Amino acid sequence: MINLFVDKVFVISTINSNRIDYIKNHLCSNNINFEFFIAPIYNILTYKKIEDTITKDSRPSLSLISSYVSIMEMSMHNNYKRICIIEDDCYFIDG
């Protein structure tokens, strides 16, 4: 259903996530076409302005922010007008 409203559905996950099978089955059972986007590992992010502020607690946020920025850039490049970005623990309900 959501695919009628957006050009592309992206699912953000990590390379070692134990939720990939869950979200794949959940989206497929709801007839949602999607594309996985694997979030970068925090230690490959080398933004000079924030290197000194990276803490153990901020690492997931940095990967997530980087994922959103990359997806937005990719969407602009592909001329997508409407996109949906979800994480791999998302759950859709009938409504």
Side-chain angles (χ1 to χ4, degrees):
M1 180 68 165
I2 194 169
N3 294 113
L4 297 175
F5 301 103
V6 298
D7 299 318
K8 190 67 129 177
V9 175
F10 293 96
V11 178
I12 297 175
S13 190
T14 59
I15 195 75
N16 57 354
S17 175
N18 60 353
R19 297 183 297 233
I20 289 178
D21 288 336
Y22 155 75
I23 194 66
K24 185 189 300 186
N25 291 333
H26 181 61
L27 295 178
C28 288
S29 70
N30 283 286
N31 297 318
I32 297 173
N33 298 323
F34 63 94
E35 180 178 321
F36 275 111
F37 184 89
I38 303 301
I41 302 169
Y42 78 91
N43 58 359
I44 66 168
L45 302 172
T46 57
Y47 299 111
K48 213 49 168 157
K49 293 181 180 179
I50 61 172
E51 278 181 345
D52 296 333
T53 62
I54 297 175
T55 66
K56 184 178 180 181
D57 293 333
S58 68
R59 291 174 187 168
S61 297
L62 289 173
S63 291
L64 193 57
I65 290 168
S66 177
S67 296
Y68 275 89
V69 170
S70 295
I71 289 170
M72 293 301 295
E73 288 174 347
M74 184 172 33
S75 297
M76 290 170 48
H77 177 74
N78 288 300
N79 293 318
Y80 298 145
K81 302 295 183 208
R82 298 166 303 201
I83 61 171
C84 174
I85 303 173
I86 61 175
E87 296 180 35
D88 61 6
D89 57 354
C90 179
Y91 182 77
F92 288 94
I93 58 172
D94 291 331

